[in-house]
Amino acid sequence: MLKSPRGIFDASPDMFAILTDAMPQMVWSTRSDGFHDYYNARWYEFTGVPPGSTDGEGWNGMFHPDDQEEAWSRWRHSLSTGEAYEIEYRLRHHSGAYRWTLGRALPVRDASGAITRWIGTCTDIDDAKRAAEQNELLSRELSHRIKNIFAVIAGLIGLSLRQAPEARSFATSLRDRIASLGRAHEFVRPHSDESRPTSGRTTIHGMLTELFKPYPALDEGRIVLSGDDIAIDDRGATPLALLFHELATNAVKYGALSTDDGRIDLNLVIAGENAVMTWTEHGAPKPLTPPAHPGFGTRLCDISVEKQLGGQLLRSWEPDGLRVVATVRLDNLVRSDTA
């Protein structure tokens, strides 16, 4: 809760103006009833409107017409409940263009808890938002091209099969594995709210079984899943898929799955409020040692578990192969609105 800045507003209003004008953000303030009566210099520089012209309810006309109703609705809700105000909207720039802006406000309360004023900020996020949209577009385009590659490969296998019908069994198995790679790709590629593949919940066992289908070792019984099957949704699925996809890829290249008799045990255990996932390789071709310089894959695993899921990732290089233990809180594997 903000302490009342009465000394700044009443005793030294110039000090408050200097403070807010020194900030790179647009700052505004309202009375307890929501009447806007103050904007700093950044607001007028950004909007180009005459001082005082957006007092009262004039501010709403500065928003994009499609955003005005939502902005009013959120603001009325904050005024009636005292809850913090936060919204993204398009604000008219002095150039005439609309730029995406993050609006926030908090109430100022007196000693009795009554709201005496609201203080808010507007932050220009247009460049960041457009960069994120561009990255999302590029990600979707890359994913589309990768899926097309899988489809082309499957089609070439089908065409080759017509010329060599005696290889039907092998070709069918290979085509199925290519299709599985395409499905696994949906788990490990970056996703936005619109592109997430999971609708509702799944389980870690279900997700990992789909992820490991392209690997012959799964059918051969050399990838063994055991322990508790834990519910997850898209929040947990993609980071965990990235982790185990990277581990499986490395195991095929130079770990346990690079030999004919190597195997992987993946054990999942619910321990109190945590999910503990232990990846243990057996039969690696030679003793592994920690890399002198962690590569991109290692950093990606760390980011997936520690940054995205707030967990812990521990590695140990045993004589028989790599051992990895990932510990993540159960409530970090699902979104709060689906818990």
Side-chain angles (χ1 to χ4, degrees):
M1 181 179 69
L2 291 177
K3 294 183 178 180
S4 173
R6 184 176 303 277
I8 296 178
F9 276 107
D10 298 335
S12 183
D14 290 341
M15 183 185 299
F16 179 76
I18 292 172
L19 173 65
T20 58
D21 286 347
M23 297 173 62
Q25 291 175 303
M26 292 171 270
V27 178
W28 49 271
S29 181
T30 80
R31 300 185 313 217
S32 60
D33 60 1
F35 184 92
H36 287 67
D37 59 4
Y38 174 79
Y39 296 91
N40 73 339
R42 301 290 85 75
W43 167 267
Y44 293 113
E45 288 175 3
F46 181 94
T47 61
V49 299
S53 61
T54 49
D55 286 359
E57 297 180 359
W59 59 274
N60 195 48
M62 300 300 300
F63 296 166
H64 190 284
D66 293 343
D67 301 335
Q68 291 179 15
E69 183 177 349
E70 178 65 16
W72 260 116
S73 176
R74 296 276 189 96
W75 181 232
R76 283 193 293 262
H77 176 78
S78 292
L79 290 177
S80 64
T81 63
E83 295 178 5
Y85 174 74
E86 181 169 331
I87 186 175
E88 292 182 7
Y89 47 68
R90 286 161 289 183
L91 185 64
R92 191 171 70 235
H93 188 252
H94 63 77
S95 64
Y98 285 93
R99 294 181 63 85
W100 281 102
T101 304
L102 173 63
R104 287 175 170 164
L106 290 173
V108 178
R109 301 179 185 270
D110 60 19
S112 66
I115 295 176
T116 61
R117 180 164 284 276
W118 288 81
I119 296 179
T121 60
C122 297
T123 305
D124 185 348
I125 59 170
D126 195 78
D127 291 341
K129 195 172 184 71
R130 293 185 188 279
E133 290 173 350
Q134 180 67 17
N135 288 339
E136 169 64 14
L137 180 63
L138 291 174
S139 176
R140 290 191 184 189
E141 174 64 17
L142 178 60
S143 177
H144 178 70
R145 290 177 182 271
I146 291 174
K147 291 169 71 174
N148 281 346
I149 290 173
F150 291 143
V152 169
I153 294 174
L156 290 174
I157 293 173
L159 290 173
S160 300
L161 181 59
R162 297 177 187 176
Q163 301 174 350
E166 68 277 6
R168 177 172 298 277
S169 177
F170 169 78
T172 300
S173 176
L174 179 59
R175 190 162 51 186
D176 288 345
R177 295 198 185 278
I178 295 297
S180 295
L181 274 174
R183 292 191 295 272
H185 169 68
E186 283 300 299
F187 282 108
V188 299
R189 77 176 182 91
H191 285 288
S192 67
D193 289 339
E194 293 78 18
S195 67
R196 290 189 181 99
T198 305
S199 177
R201 291 193 182 187
T202 182
T203 65
I204 295 183
H205 276 219
M207 183 266 292
L208 290 177
T209 298
E210 194 68 36
L211 190 70
F212 294 148
K213 274 184 179 180
Y215 299 92
L218 182 66
D219 295 336
E220 296 165 359
R222 296 193 295 122
I223 300 179
V224 179
L225 302 179
S226 61
D228 300 318
D229 200 3
I230 301 168
I232 57 173
D233 62 13
D234 55 272
R235 179 183 182 184
T238 297
L240 290 182
L242 285 167
L243 168 67
F244 291 115
H245 181 267
E246 181 66 20
L247 292 175
T249 300
N250 288 340
V252 169
K253 290 192 292 186
Y254 39 73
L257 298 186
S258 65
T259 66
D260 292 335
D261 55 357
R263 77 176 195 278
I264 293 171
D265 291 322
L266 181 49
N267 181 250
L268 311 169
V269 176
I270 296 177
E273 298 179 342
N274 296 321
V276 180
M277 296 156 278
T278 304
W279 168 283
T280 306
E281 297 188 26
H282 305 278
K286 60 181 180 180
L288 300 177
T289 58
H293 303 287
F296 175 76
T298 298
R299 294 195 299 272
L300 186 64
C301 291
D302 291 339
I303 291 172
S304 298
V305 175
E306 298 176 356
K307 302 298 184 182
Q308 292 185 273
L309 296 177
Q312 183 183 54
L313 191 63
L314 299 176
R315 302 175 181 84
S316 58
W317 286 262
E318 309 293 340
D320 204 28
L322 177 65
R323 186 172 186 268
V324 178
V325 180
T327 304
V328 178
R329 284 182 57 89
L330 292 169
D331 54 10
N332 285 343
L333 295 175
V334 293
R335 295 182 179 276
S336 58
D337 55 357
T338 61

